[in-house]
Amino acid sequence: QAPDWRQQIREGWRTPLALLQHLQIQPDRVDCAVDTPFPMRVPRAFSNRMQIANPADPLLRQVLPLKAENDHVAGFCNDPVGDIDSRPARGLLHKYHGRALLITTGACAIHCRYCFRREFPYAAEHASPAHWQAAIDYIADHSDISEVILSGGDPWMLGNERLHELTETLKPIQHIQRLRIHTRMPITLPDRVNPGLLAWLGSLPWQKIVVVHANHANEFDSDVAAALKRLKNVDVTVFNQAVLLDGVNNEVDALCDLMQTGFAAGAIPYYLHLLDRVHGSAHFEVNQRQALELMLALRKRLSGYLVPRLVREQAGAAYKLPVF
């Protein structure tokens, strides 16, 4: 029997050297950074899908701190998508018409090195129970908000009781039609999709959408597919969004495999994001010209429903901008 998901988080990798030793990779082969302001966290369920003795493993590249994170590159900043200027209440972002986003927690089961919120002031801005009310009141006062998005961090780092407490405060708001949840945990820690979480999801009165995040086909294994199936069994629609990342998925074969493998596991391709230009992530950037060439190749090789939308998020824009 697998350990509880919280225990699995506690037992995850916290230092680059320990993870590299586990993978039988010498540290000098990857130019890793031992100490970084953004700490490392990797569940073993995710690292078990990495290739032994492969310093170029695409899953390892997403989570291993490199010295390149300390480079200061022009055009990269702390808040590349304008989160800070989009807050009408603590822990609430309202960027786009019809939907609002709750920052439920700053915690994640995994620390992706390209995370656009790696500099977000979570301590002051997440909607903790003591500060939910202002955000709930704002949503209640804006009848155009038909969709509430739970994000973070990762909202499923909250316990099932806390999630129930939060959604109970939303139930009296009549104009909410859909609840969308952005989470990487079905991918990184599939045991989080446990009976208690499923019971909570099954009790919700709204249409339910879960947007997972996987960037490479190797992130999908039988445990992930089983977790996504459990979500579908409680009437959840599952999408996958990815980020175009140098050294991870910036080849047409890798992207084709990602879309087809994810769809076979139960996740509909949704967005392919150009990199959000947050400090420390410049070594992941794929230029727009290459991105467009990759999208053209995808359209030639895949059915239309398997082709994600290539987008860029721009601070102050009224929607995610399609890239043509």
Side-chain angles (χ1 to χ4, degrees):
Q1 184 176 359
D4 177 78
W5 64 274
R6 291 185 179 91
Q7 181 180 342
Q8 292 185 55
I9 289 173
R10 291 191 293 270
E11 294 174 349
W13 304 105
R14 297 298 184 94
T15 67
L17 296 181
L19 176 58
L20 291 174
Q21 182 179 21
H22 169 73
L23 295 172
Q24 303 174 29
I25 298 171
Q26 293 298 319
D28 58 3
R29 297 186 66 194
V30 290
D31 203 27
C32 71
V34 176
D35 295 311
T36 60
F38 184 44
M40 192 187 95
R41 172 179 276 179
V42 184
R44 291 175 185 257
F46 190 78
S47 69
N48 289 342
R49 298 169 226 159
M50 297 176 185
Q51 299 166 349
I52 299 296
N54 181 9
D57 179 81
L59 277 62
L60 175 64
R61 180 165 171 78
Q62 295 179 53
V63 299
L64 186 71
L66 300 181
K67 293 177 181 177
E69 291 187 25
N70 297 319
D71 295 341
H72 291 278
V73 180
F76 287 73
C77 62
N78 288 344
D79 184 20
V81 299
D83 280 345
I84 298 300
D85 292 332
S86 304
R87 303 162 299 158
R90 174 169 174 157
L92 183 71
L93 306 182
H94 192 190
K95 295 183 181 182
Y96 307 136
H97 177 79
R99 57 264 198 213
L101 184 149
L102 279 167
I103 300 287
T104 56
T105 176
C108 278
I110 193 167
H111 287 178
C112 304
R113 309 315 300 177
Y114 53 88
C115 176
F116 68 95
R117 290 200 180 117
R118 57 184 287 170
E119 302 288 343
F120 189 81
Y122 286 111
E125 289 299 335
H126 73 281
S128 62
H131 300 93
W132 276 341
Q133 197 55 53
I136 301 303
D137 290 345
Y138 180 91
I139 295 170
D141 290 342
H142 289 74
S143 59
D144 61 303
I145 297 176
S146 59
E147 182 170 337
V148 172
I149 304 165
L150 305 186
S151 186
D154 194 309
W156 283 356
M157 287 291 283
L158 300 179
N160 300 332
E161 301 81 5
R162 183 71 61 81
L163 290 168
H164 175 79
E165 180 183 350
L166 173 57
T167 52
E168 284 298 301
T169 66
L170 294 170
K171 283 183 178 180
I173 304 175
Q174 295 297 312
H175 51 263
I176 298 176
Q177 300 175 22
R178 295 175 300 280
L179 184 74
R180 191 196 326 170
I181 301 160
H182 287 191
T183 174
R184 192 136 154 75
M185 290 184 80
I187 305 296
T188 61
L189 194 63
D191 284 339
R192 176 64 185 100
V193 186
N194 59 20
L197 185 77
L198 296 169
W200 166 70
L201 285 166
S203 72
L204 299 177
W206 313 288
Q207 287 186 301
K208 300 168 294 250
I209 303 100
V210 167
V211 181
V212 298
H213 174 192
N215 299 307
H216 195 274
N218 292 355
E219 296 179 50
F220 292 94
D221 64 3
S222 59
D223 290 337
V224 172
L228 298 184
K229 185 175 181 179
R230 294 195 293 273
L231 292 174
K232 295 179 73 172
N233 287 341
V234 290
D235 297 323
V236 172
T237 302
V238 179
F239 293 98
N240 180 59
Q241 59 181 348
V243 182
L244 189 58
L245 300 168
D246 184 69
V248 175
N249 56 16
N250 60 320
E251 295 180 354
V252 65
D253 287 344
L255 287 173
C256 284
D257 288 346
L258 170 62
M259 304 309 159
Q260 294 181 102
T261 303
F263 186 76
I268 302 167
Y270 181 30
Y271 281 142
L272 179 62
H273 291 264
L274 294 183
L275 182 74
D276 295 319
R277 307 184 88 198
V278 67
H279 277 313
S281 68
H283 54 292
F284 285 111
E285 188 165 44
V286 176
N287 67 55
Q288 183 169 311
R289 178 176 178 179
Q290 184 185 1
L292 290 169
E293 291 172 350
L294 288 168
M295 287 302 297
L296 178 61
L298 279 181
R299 292 189 183 99
K300 290 179 178 179
R301 291 176 55 171
L302 295 178
S303 300
Y305 59 84
L306 292 175
V307 179
R309 285 166 281 180
L310 180 66
V311 295
R312 180 193 299 279
E313 186 165 359
Q314 181 174 305
Y319 46 86
K320 287 184 174 62
L321 302 177
V323 179
F324 298 110

